Amino acid sequence: MRQRNFASILFALLGLSGCGYHTLGAATHLPPDAHTLAVPVFATRTEAYHTEEVMTNAVIREFAARSRLRVTSKESGDPDVILHGTILKETVAPLTYNTSTQQSSSFLITMVVSVILSGRDGKTLYENKNYVFREQYQSTTDLPTFLDESPAAVERLSRDFARALVADVLEGL
């Protein structure tokens, strides 16, 4: 009886040891000898102003915060891995309508982004051609107090995108 209880506890502990947790930097999409990551400014196929810089900066900050990699925005210096991103689509659509002012009162930004992480040898380590992120924001209807909320919405969307991307790369999802 005692041996059976011991064996049950041992099997339970062995099962918990393989529960999916891993140490920082034990990523499946990065080579174990990777120390530097270059994230050049994202390319864009949209006419939106400044979005590619906001997206790139969010990704750089997130990788710097969540990994041991030395992250730079420049490809020079022969980095171990390079992350290229392309903003494929950015749309802003009215979401709600204020009948008293006859104007849209909130909007939805939708962004589609493609990313490729490649090693120094050019081999693709990670790729997702269809990240889709959305963010809602309110519109001010009073012209004297008008404040464009779309840049703040792009910032929030960029942070969410960066968190998801870095988690995918570092956690092997």
Side-chain angles (χ1 to χ4, degrees), residues 68-95:
R68 293 187 177 132
L69 295 168
R70 188 170 44 86
V71 186
T72 179
S73 62
K74 296 178 177 45
E75 289 185 61
S76 61
D78 199 27
D80 297 319
V81 288
I82 301 171
L83 180 83
H84 288 282
T86 304
I87 301 169
L88 303 173
K89 187 176 183 181
E90 182 176 351
T91 58
V92 178
L95 193 58

Side-chain angles (χ1 to χ4, degrees), residues 94-136:
L95 193 58
T96 57
Y97 183 73
N98 185 333
T99 55
S100 64
T101 63
Q102 298 183 353
Q103 295 177 336
S104 296
S105 55
S106 69
F107 295 87
L108 183 68
I109 295 177
T110 303
M111 208 169 304
V112 181
V113 183
S114 173
V115 296
I116 298 173
L117 179 73
S118 53
R120 180 178 289 149
D121 59 0
K123 179 182 173 191
T124 299
L125 304 171
Y126 175 80
E127 182 175 23
N128 186 334
K129 294 182 180 183
N130 196 37
Y131 273 106
V132 179
F133 279 82
R134 294 177 179 87
E135 184 67 37
Q136 179 180 345

